[in-house]
């Protein structure tokens, strides 16, 4: 009995929208639909980027990484939110809260760096077209992607540790719908100025530095595009970059408003709205932004829905297996 009571006391209570109970049912439906769309959109882009040979390029390699990241991003928060919105229990275990904090921070940090790398890829493709295959070769793309994921998870380890070690003096009511740094630091019962300063420095490094690089990259891209004589070529270059710029603006400016500020000045209502944008809205819309604005992805999706595509794919796999068997003989 004591163990059960102690386990209960270790749980966090996520208030979420419990102060507005009339919102819980509509929000449950909205989040469920958003999660289904996120799963469908991101999985579709991952599969079509891997299976369609016409999308075998660095750009779509990084787009599929972004889709995988967004898929994990929404999965780290929405299922728990749906459970809390549907039932009377608003709790999350201590271990579950820490895991959610670490994974959410890791994926967010990874996305910051990945969006900057995607901007560099566009710069290389438009400003250095003759050297593009050398600059963005397969090995380098793989190393860049791996470095992005490792950096994101390493940063999360530091930030989540700084957040968790702050003493809470038994406080366990989190005024948020998932475990996030500003909301958890509000529970601290000691001076958190040192934590605030450290987290602000890390937030600036992970948000402002990549954003500055992205904006600088697009200055060079704009100069290169203006030199293109063909109106059609200029439009194609602009259209290629527009999807990325839209994703960047949606993600960065909401995240900056949350993380590049003292967590002690955290506003609960603004925090919840901003978290909804960069934690749910952006990952859900990203695959549709890339799909609706990109004729190559739309064409690949149409091909994937045809029987001929899968027949050809099966034939190529059989030839590959046959060659590997012959090589082993």
């Amino acid at each position: 009995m004591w163990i059960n009571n102690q386990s209960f006391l270790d749980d966090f209570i996520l208030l979420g929208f419990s102060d507005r109970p009339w919102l819980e049912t509509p929000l449950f439906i909205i989040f469920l639909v958003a999660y289904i769309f996120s799963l469908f959109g991101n999985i579709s882009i991952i599969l079509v980027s891997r299976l369609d040979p016409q999308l075998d390029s660095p750009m779509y390699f990084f787009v599929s990484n972004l889709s995988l990241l967004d898929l994990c991003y929404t999965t780290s928060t929405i299922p728990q939110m749906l459970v809390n919105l549907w039932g009377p229990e608003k709790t999350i275990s201590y271990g579950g809260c820490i895991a959610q904090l670490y994974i959410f921070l890791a994926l967010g940090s990874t996305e910051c760096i990945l969006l900057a790398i995607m901007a560099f890829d566009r710069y290389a493709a438009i400003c250095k077209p003759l050297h593009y295959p050398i600059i963005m070769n397969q090995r380098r793309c793989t190393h860049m992607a791996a470095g992005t994921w490792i950096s994101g998870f390493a940063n999360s380890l530091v930030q989540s540790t700084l957040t968790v070690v702050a003493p809470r003096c038994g406080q366990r009511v989190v005024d948020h719908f998932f475990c996030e740094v500003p909301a958890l630091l509000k529970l601290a019962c000691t001076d958190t100025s040192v934590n605030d300063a450290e987290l602000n420095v890390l937030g600036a490094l992970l948000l402002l530095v990549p954003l500055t690089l992205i904006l600088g990259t697009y200055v060079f891209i704009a100069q290169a595009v203006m030199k293109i004589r063909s109106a059609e070529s200029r439009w194609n270059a602009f259209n290629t970059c527009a999807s990325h710029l839209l994703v960047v603006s949606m993600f960065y400016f909401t995240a900056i408003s949350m993380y590049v500020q003292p967590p002690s000045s955290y506003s609960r209502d603004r925090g919840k709205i901003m978290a909804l944008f960069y934690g749910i809205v952006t990952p859900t819309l990203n695959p549709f932004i890339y799909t609706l604005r990109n004729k190559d992805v739309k064409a690949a999706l149409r091909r994937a829905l045809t029987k001929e595509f899968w027949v050809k794919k099966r034939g190529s796999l059989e030839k590959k297996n046959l060659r590997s068997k012959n090589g082993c003989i």
Side-chain angles (χ1 to χ4, degrees):
M1 185 68 180
W2 181 86
I3 293 174
N4 290 336
N5 288 340
Q6 185 65 32
S7 176
F8 174 76
L9 291 174
D10 286 341
D11 291 346
F12 284 100
I13 299 172
L14 298 173
L15 289 183
F17 303 96
S18 56
D19 56 336
R20 299 177 179 89
W22 55 273
L23 271 176
E24 291 191 337
T25 300
L27 286 175
F28 176 86
I29 297 171
I30 292 170
F31 292 163
L32 179 60
V33 171
Y35 188 48
I36 292 170
F37 273 98
S38 176
L39 290 176
F40 173 76
N42 287 303
I43 290 174
S44 296
I45 285 188
I46 293 169
L47 290 176
V48 78
S49 298
R50 297 297 183 188
L51 296 175
D52 196 308
Q54 295 189 32
L55 298 184
D56 186 16
S57 69
M59 175 182 172
Y60 296 110
F61 171 74
F62 291 120
V63 167
S64 63
N65 269 266
L66 181 64
S67 292
L68 175 61
L69 193 151
D70 286 338
L71 184 64
C72 299
Y73 211 32
T74 51
T75 302
S76 70
T77 55
I78 295 183
Q80 179 68 43
M81 290 167 56
L82 293 175
V83 170
N84 289 352
L85 286 170
W86 183 255
E89 293 291 331
K90 310 294 182 186
T91 60
I92 182 173
S93 68
Y94 178 82
C97 183
I98 302 308
Q100 188 180 70
L101 172 70
Y102 175 71
I103 293 170
F104 189 80
L105 267 175
L107 297 171
S109 303
T110 303
E111 183 157 351
C112 291
I113 305 171
L114 181 61
L115 290 173
I117 289 177
M118 292 173 74
F120 175 76
D121 172 68
R122 292 300 83 210
Y123 163 79
I126 294 172
C127 300
K128 308 286 183 181
L130 297 179
H131 298 93
Y132 180 66
I134 300 172
I135 296 171
M136 301 301 290
N137 59 67
Q138 186 176 5
R139 184 179 180 183
R140 183 167 294 164
C141 289
T142 303
H143 288 170
M144 291 170 76
T148 298
W149 286 85
I150 292 169
S151 300
F153 278 79
N155 170 72
S156 178
L157 182 62
V158 176
Q159 287 207 45
S160 56
T161 301
L162 290 172
T163 304
V164 171
V165 297
R168 295 182 301 276
C169 303
Q171 297 188 62
R172 58 191 188 92
V173 180
V174 182
D175 195 1
H176 210 325
F177 42 80
F178 64 91
C179 295
E180 196 176 20
V181 171
L184 288 176
L185 279 182
K186 290 290 285 185
L187 302 182
C189 56
T190 58
D191 180 28
T192 60
S193 56
V194 175
N195 301 68
D196 290 357
E198 291 172 332
L199 292 170
N200 263 334
V201 170
L202 291 171
L205 286 174
L206 262 295
L207 287 165
L208 297 181
V209 173
L211 180 59
T212 303
L213 293 174
I214 290 171
L215 295 177
T217 298
Y218 273 104
V219 170
F220 290 110
I221 291 175
Q223 291 174 349
V225 169
M226 294 304 295
K227 294 177 183 178
I228 299 175
R229 294 182 179 181
S230 168
E232 183 180 354
S233 298
R234 278 201 306 269
W235 171 251
N236 289 336
F238 168 77
N239 200 41
T240 301
C241 299
S243 300
H244 181 252
L245 277 173
L246 183 57
V247 170
V248 165
S249 60
M250 288 173 60
F251 176 79
Y252 271 100
F253 294 116
T254 51
I256 285 172
S257 69
M258 277 287 289
Y259 282 91
V260 187
Q261 64 162 343
S264 54
S265 65
Y266 169 76
S267 167
R268 69 170 192 177
D269 290 332
R270 188 185 70 171
K272 291 177 183 179
I273 293 171
M274 293 298 103
L276 283 176
F277 265 93
Y278 63 76
I280 297 174
V281 176
T282 301
T284 302
L285 292 181
N286 280 353
F288 299 98
I289 291 171
Y290 278 105
T291 302
L292 294 175
R293 295 192 60 86
N294 191 304
K295 62 181 182 181
D296 293 333
V297 177
K298 287 190 286 188
L301 287 171
R302 283 194 293 267
R303 285 194 297 272
L305 295 175
T306 62
K307 184 179 178 180
E308 290 78 8
F309 175 84
W310 295 102
V311 170
K312 289 180 181 179
K313 196 67 186 175
R314 182 180 178 182
S316 63
L317 287 174
E318 288 175 350
K319 289 180 181 178
K320 185 177 179 180
N321 291 334
L322 184 60
R323 283 196 301 266
S324 64
K325 287 179 181 178
N326 290 337
C328 294
I329 295 173

